[in-house]
Amino acid sequence: MVDRLEATLTLDRPVSSVKQVSPARERVLSSRGIHTVRDLVCEYPFRYVDLSRIATVIGAPIGQSCTIAGSIHKIEAKRTRRRNLGLVEITLVDATGTLMIACFNQPWLTNQYHDGDRIAVAGKVEFNYGFKRMTNPYIERLGDDEAAMGQVIPVHHASEKLKTGHMRAIIRNALEAVEGLDDPLPVELRGKYRLMSRGSALRCIQQPQDMAEVAQARRRLAYEELLLLELQLMARARERSAGKDPATHIVDGICVAALEAALPFELTDEQRVARSELLAAMGAERQANHLLLGDVGTGKTAVALFGLAAVADTGMQAMMMAPTEVLATQYATGLGPLLDTVGVSWALLTGSTAPEERTRILKDAEQGDLVVLFGTHALLEPDVQMPRLSFVVIDEQQRFGVEQRAALVAKGDCPDILSLTATPIPRSLALAVYGDMTLSYLTQRPRNAVGTRTRVFDREQAGDAYEVARQALEQGHQAYVVCPLVGVKREDPEDSRKKGADPVLGGENDDETLAPDAIAVEWDADLAGMDTRAAEEHARMLRRTVFSEHRVGVLHGKLGAEQKRRVMEAFRAHEIDVLVATTVIEVGVDVPNATVMVIEDADRFGLAQLHQLRGRVGRGDAPGEVCLISGSRAPIAVRRLQAMEQIQDGFRLSEYDLSLRREGDILGNRQHGASTLKLVNIMRDRNIIEAAHADAAEMLEADPDLAAPEHAALRRELRLMLKEKP
């Protein structure tokens, strides 16, 4: 027992306590974020060289990664045209042929290896100038007895001051120091999924005998990472409502029943399920924190409307906040009449609300005479008070900073929360980063049975794209032309994170933030700092040329609130045929007669943003058509735009987008501990994510404080994650 406890405590001792970690090496490790023994044993290899599967030079497939063993025929340093770029060229031969190896910025190789040395190299094979080649491969020396042949060699990130071989030795010493450590996973869970122990998993992932061991170790450690994260998220959610008295809403009252009868349309099956899930959360005795993820046009606000009705039945009050005045105004025109029908009082409060009207609304809200208050950021003002606030709805929640969302929730004692987003997030990703929320999904569009077609046009084909719009206008329909931002530089995701935006969903509280692509936190460096085409200039050009016989309006975030309102009203009334706009129209704009959208410089938008824009057309009885104009020849840009042509479903599109990304781009900067997910692959590990989420919820339901003896080790791990004392 003492040895087990000692090994477990060693995990959190300084890395300097490990044999062969000198002060110099400690400084190098510290610069890489490795401060403790735990950090060291969890510094997993980024790849493995499988010397049990050696390819010959002649048999090595071009374009694929493989391992080749042979002898160095020649090694020499060469000059390149760039003075700061050193090159070491190695000629490797085996019984079948010659492999040329180029190693850049590694001058020490000429001292480390010599002609005649036996080595194995692992990397991607290319072919040019008559030879198969590798560039900057991993190199492993083979002894005369070739004892390394048949082994699996882990490869860690290295530097000139700390080679990968040194890392292997240090990690081996660390594993010896923690041998026999406690396993935080209860025996029941390990048996349920046939998982190896933590100690075995760490050894197998760091010192595998074969690749099958690596797979089993990764599976075990990935599950542990996810279970701890889900427990952390759920524990923090419970802490937020601890000591408070959340409202238990009446979810089968008169207003809820009257609302269903008053709806001018039938709810889809998905909407009914989502409504039941929302009302169940609101009717529970604990605070609801519900996320409704709905593809564009799937009717999220219709589901939210039933939550507002439940608030009225309970005798409480609600706020619903939108990121733009355009969208908040649509609440008033779309949801307001339905609330009137069932006898629920409501008002709209925005930055452009007249002073006299604002005074009246604030008085009614504070006296409790107002049940529902729609609005924009104006709801966050200190003098906006609703004493019986029990429900807040945050539409397009990713467009608000964390502090803004918290400020709205803080206006009530412990209100239930409903967050809406049209950003399509696969369930696996949503569970991994929003494990503290209950989730509902909408994927079916009640309207647009005829669908929307998307086509990509080269810059030279722009005229064909605008001809599609002209034909729609001649048939009595309307069109959008979307330009990138008005003279605003594309925003670096790092800046968004600093301002409190959600790095998973992107966005900030500006009408026109060109958010990092949905789930995407990927910054196109070549676009940084480039000013984009101004919508007003483009509108003037279109008035003179393509649409000279039609009425062209312009809408962008720099217009005043009243100007925006007048433009949108004119477009809805068909007093404008073509609306030239920036991404201010991305969210919530609903004009059924608009059937065509032309998007300029489409390659500058993320897939999720393009999909949201696409959702603005085809909302009536006529099919929609989206024309994406792009001058980019970059392969990644071409593939993404082609995906827009082929995939209509937003969730499938987001899964495709995820498949193009590095895992760190998806999870590496998410708050609440997701940066601890070193081994999780969102697409590959869906089943593990689902299992960990379900297990965490079941565990906390049965043992909220993890006080049971079998949960002691798990409780200690969780407290360490939460920065508490064990």
Side-chain angles (χ1 to χ4, degrees):
M1 177 64 73
V2 175
D3 290 344
R4 183 178 295 278
L5 178 60
E6 177 67 18
T8 303
L9 293 175
T10 297
L11 268 181
D12 298 298
R13 288 179 177 151
V15 72
S16 58
S17 65
V18 177
K19 288 188 295 186
Q20 292 185 275
V21 177
S22 64
R25 285 179 175 173
E26 182 184 8
R27 287 192 294 272
V28 174
L29 292 170
S30 179
S31 69
R32 291 165 53 177
I34 301 172
H35 305 288
T36 65
V37 178
R38 180 192 299 270
D39 295 333
L40 188 57
V41 297
C42 293
E43 179 71 5
Y44 303 123
F46 71 92
R47 70 175 174 184
Y48 298 86
V49 178
D50 189 354
L51 294 181
S52 67
R53 302 177 65 182
I54 297 292
T56 61
V57 173
I58 195 170
I62 295 172
Q64 296 184 25
S65 296
C66 63
T67 302
I68 299 174
S71 299
I72 296 177
H73 175 70
K74 187 177 183 181
I75 179 170
E76 61 179 334
K78 291 190 172 184
R79 292 184 177 181
T80 64
R81 293 180 180 179
R82 293 172 57 184
R83 294 181 180 178
N84 61 341
L85 186 65
L87 168 64
V88 173
E89 189 172 79
I90 302 174
T91 304
L92 182 74
V93 296
D94 70 1
T96 67
T98 300
L99 178 73
M100 303 302 297
I101 302 168
C103 302
F104 293 98
N105 288 331
Q106 301 176 62
W108 61 86
L109 291 177
T110 55
N111 297 322
Q112 190 171 350
Y113 298 102
H114 305 89
D115 296 356
D117 286 351
R118 291 278 295 164
I119 62 173
V121 294
K124 185 176 180 180
V125 179
E126 300 167 333
F127 184 87
N128 52 54
Y129 298 103
F131 289 97
K132 287 186 176 178
R133 298 174 179 269
M134 282 187 183
T135 301
N136 289 339
Y138 171 74
I139 304 174
E140 178 73 16
R141 184 188 300 276
L142 301 176
D144 293 336
D145 58 357
E146 299 200 359
M149 300 301 286
Q151 295 182 5
V152 175
I153 300 176
V155 182
H156 298 84
H157 290 290
S159 66
E160 187 173 359
K161 294 182 179 179
L162 191 60
K163 304 291 193 298
T164 187
H166 296 148
M167 279 294 294
R168 283 202 298 271
I170 292 171
I171 290 173
R172 182 168 57 249
N173 294 336
L175 288 173
E176 290 176 359
V178 300
E179 187 173 356
L181 80 169
D182 272 337
D183 194 322
L185 294 189
V187 174
E188 179 185 356
L189 285 180
R190 297 206 304 271
K192 178 180 179 181
Y193 299 116
R194 299 182 180 179
L195 300 174
M196 59 175 61
S197 70
R198 175 192 261 189
S200 296
L202 289 172
R203 179 186 57 77
C204 288
I205 204 167
Q206 296 286 9
Q207 300 173 328
Q209 297 298 310
D210 53 47
M211 293 306 294
E213 279 193 351
V214 174
Q216 287 303 312
R218 194 203 66 79
R219 176 172 168 267
R220 149 65 208 233
L221 294 170
Y223 174 81
E224 179 183 316
E225 287 180 351
L226 285 162
L227 182 68
L228 285 167
L229 175 62
E230 297 296 342
L231 287 171
Q232 179 187 9
L233 290 170
M234 294 177 187
R236 282 183 166 161
R238 290 170 181 257
E239 287 175 6
R240 285 194 293 267
S241 58
K244 297 181 180 179
D245 187 20
T248 301
H249 288 95
I250 298 171
V251 297
D252 56 356
I254 297 173
C255 290
V256 170
L259 177 61
E260 181 156 19
L263 288 179
F265 52 82
E266 287 287 327
L267 295 177
T268 65
D269 291 342
E270 282 187 334
Q271 284 176 312
R272 293 182 186 279
V273 170
R275 177 187 62 181
S276 297
E277 291 170 339
L278 170 62
L279 293 180
M282 294 179 66
E285 295 182 357
R286 56 176 174 265
Q287 183 185 32
N289 190 8
H290 197 73
L291 177 62
L292 178 55
L293 303 104
D295 205 349
V296 288
T298 52
K300 297 180 292 298
T301 52
V303 175
L305 195 57
F306 282 92
L308 300 178
V311 170
D313 281 326
T314 313
M316 305 298 280
Q317 294 173 295
M319 288 184 181
M320 185 167 178
M321 183 168 67
T324 68
E325 190 160 330
V326 169
L327 185 53
T329 302
Q330 281 193 180
Y331 296 158
T333 57
L335 305 183
L338 288 170
L339 292 175
D340 287 336
T341 301
V342 298
V344 177
S345 58
W346 63 273
L348 172 66
L349 182 66
T350 69
S352 60
T353 301
E356 300 81 4
E357 178 71 2
R358 186 177 190 277
T359 300
R360 183 189 64 78
I361 291 172
L362 295 186
K363 181 180 179 182
D364 289 346
E366 190 168 5
Q367 292 179 346
D369 297 331
L370 191 63
V371 175
V372 176
L373 183 56
F374 299 121
T376 56
H377 304 82
L379 298 181
L380 302 177
E381 293 297 323
D383 59 348
V384 181
Q385 297 294 328
M386 300 186 89
R388 298 199 305 276
L389 182 66
S390 66
F391 186 49
V392 297
V393 183
I394 306 173
D395 200 358
E396 291 301 322
Q397 64 108 21
Q398 75 279 4
R399 289 181 168 262
F400 295 96
V402 174
E403 293 181 0
Q404 291 172 324
R405 297 195 294 266
L408 186 68
V409 173
K411 287 183 176 289
D413 181 44
C414 189
D416 287 345
I417 307 164
L418 172 61
S419 300
L420 310 178
T421 181
T423 300
I425 308 171
R427 178 175 170 82
S428 57
L429 177 59
L431 288 177
V433 294
Y434 297 113
D436 56 336
M437 306 173 80
T438 51
L439 307 176
S440 293
Y441 276 82
L442 297 176
T443 61
Q444 303 167 359
R445 296 179 69 172
R447 292 176 286 175
N448 194 28
V450 290
T452 296
R453 180 187 182 190
T454 302
R455 286 190 287 169
V456 178
F457 295 82
D458 290 335
R459 173 58 54 197
E460 294 76 16
Q461 299 172 312
D464 296 336
Y466 281 102
E467 183 58 30
V468 173
R470 282 174 53 85
Q471 291 175 6
L473 298 181
E474 290 172 3
Q475 296 171 9
H477 297 299
Q478 294 162 273
Y480 297 101
V481 175
V482 180
C483 302
L485 307 190
V486 181
V488 177
K489 295 179 180 180
R490 183 169 176 170
E491 184 179 5
D492 188 324
E494 183 63 30
D495 293 334
S496 275
R497 288 192 290 274
K498 290 174 183 175
K499 290 190 291 183
D502 189 324
V504 172
L505 293 174
E508 183 33 60
N509 59 342
D510 188 320
D511 287 1
E512 294 189 302
T513 300
L514 186 53
D517 184 16
I519 326 165
V521 186
E522 181 172 323
W523 174 237
D524 297 324
D526 60 321
L527 296 181
M530 289 181 62
D531 284 341
T532 54
R533 188 191 306 268
E536 290 181 348
E537 293 177 5
H538 197 55
R540 284 194 290 271
M541 183 274 292
L542 293 177
R543 287 190 192 103
R544 293 194 307 267
T545 57
V546 182
F547 302 122
S548 58
E549 299 177 359
H550 300 279
R551 297 163 295 184
V552 178
V554 64
L555 181 69
H556 57 72
K558 290 187 176 181
L559 295 177
E562 180 60 23
Q563 290 175 295
K564 290 180 186 175
R565 186 189 63 78
R566 288 202 303 267
V567 170
M568 281 309 305
E569 286 184 355
F571 191 56
R572 286 194 191 93
H574 204 165
E575 296 169 3
I576 293 174
D577 300 309
V578 180
L579 184 61
V580 180
T582 57
T583 53
V584 68
I585 66 162
E586 176 186 349
V587 177
V589 173
D590 189 1
V591 180
N593 193 48
T595 60
V596 173
M597 176 176 287
V598 177
I599 302 180
E600 288 278 355
D601 300 320
D603 52 282
R604 299 191 183 185
F605 298 89
L607 280 185
Q609 197 163 33
L610 287 174
H611 183 67
Q612 288 220 24
L613 288 168
R614 175 166 63 183
R616 299 309 107 208
V617 298
R619 300 175 74 89
D621 297 327
E625 185 127 25
V626 177
C627 303
L628 306 177
I629 299 175
S630 170
S632 175
R633 297 291 187 272
I636 186 69
V638 172
R639 287 202 301 273
R640 287 188 174 190
L641 294 183
Q642 287 174 341
M644 288 292 298
E645 288 184 308
Q646 299 160 6
I647 303 173
Q648 295 296 318
D649 182 273
F651 292 98
R652 280 187 55 215
L653 196 64
S654 68
E655 288 181 352
Y656 170 80
D657 202 21
L658 280 175
S659 71
L660 300 178
R661 298 183 182 283
R662 299 179 301 276
E663 214 60 30
D665 293 332
I666 302 167
L667 290 172
N669 293 295
R670 173 63 180 165
Q671 62 266 50
H672 302 321
S675 58
T676 63
L677 299 183
K678 296 182 178 181
L679 295 173
V680 176
N681 179 296
I682 292 299
M683 305 308 296
R684 177 186 61 205
D685 296 330
R686 299 179 192 183
N687 292 338
I688 300 178
I689 294 170
E690 291 271 2
H693 184 269
D695 292 338
E698 183 179 344
M699 192 180 298
L700 289 177
E701 188 68 29
D703 185 12
D705 299 320
L706 298 179
E710 63 270 23
H711 294 154
L714 191 61
R715 183 175 66 249
R716 182 179 187 278
E717 289 291 315
L718 187 59
R719 286 179 174 175
L720 286 170
M721 289 182 68
L722 295 171
K723 305 301 182 186
E724 298 178 3
K725 291 182 180 180

